[in-house]
């Protein structure tokens, strides 16, 4: 697990890691949101996944939409990728 995190961190462009978080996409479920995050990471844009507001389904943790957030400095690059 640690090797995977180190590998991911090496892909991040530091210029895209500054500023407040902004939503650039919404995945229909956890899997789709992770796919979007992977696309962004390949371009050096770090991201964070967060369950969309109003869709809390604790017994089905992977269900429900997820917001994909990136630092403001990476917003334009993220939108180009998507």
């Amino acid at each position: 697990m640690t090797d995977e995190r180190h590998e991911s961190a090496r892909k991040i462009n530091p210029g895209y890691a500054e500023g407040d978080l902004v939503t650039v996409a919404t995945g229909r479920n956890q899997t789709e949101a992770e796919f979007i995050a992977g696309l962004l990471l390949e371009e050096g844009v770090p991201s964070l996944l967060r369950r969309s507001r109003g869709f809390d389904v604790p017994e089905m943790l992977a269900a429900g939409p997820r917001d994909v957030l990136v630092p403001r400095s990476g917003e334009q690059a993220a939108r180009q990728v998507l």
Side-chain angles (χ1 to χ4, degrees), residues 20-26 50 66-70 75 79:
D20 295 331
L21 294 174
V22 293
T23 302
V24 294
T26 301
R50 178 177 65 192
R66 301 293 195 282
D67 294 330
V68 180
L69 298 98
V70 301
E75 180 180 11
R79 293 193 187 282

Side-chain angles (χ1 to χ4, degrees), residues 41-58:
L41 183 59
E42 288 302 315
E43 296 300 320
V45 181
S47 62
L48 173 79
L49 304 181
R50 178 177 65 192
R51 186 181 300 274
S52 298
R53 291 184 179 181
F55 289 94
D56 190 19
V57 187

Side-chain angles (χ1 to χ4, degrees), residues 2-80:
T2 302
D3 291 335
E4 185 179 318
R5 287 183 183 167
H6 284 254
E7 200 57 37
S8 293
R10 294 180 69 183
K11 293 179 180 182
I12 294 173
N13 179 336
Y16 294 152
E18 299 174 11
D20 295 331
L21 294 174
V22 293
T23 302
V24 294
T26 301
R28 291 178 289 177
N29 53 48
Q30 181 74 28
T31 305
E32 187 173 279
E34 288 176 357
F35 177 76
I36 294 168
L39 291 174
L40 295 174
L41 183 59
E42 288 302 315
E43 296 300 320
V45 181
S47 62
L48 173 79
L49 304 181
R50 178 177 65 192
R51 186 181 300 274
S52 298
R53 291 184 179 181
F55 289 94
D56 190 19
V57 187
E59 65 275 357
M60 299 174 61
L61 295 177
R66 301 293 195 282
D67 294 330
V68 180
L69 298 98
V70 301
R72 187 159 308 278
S73 63
E75 180 180 11
Q76 184 176 358
R79 293 193 187 282
Q80 288 176 347

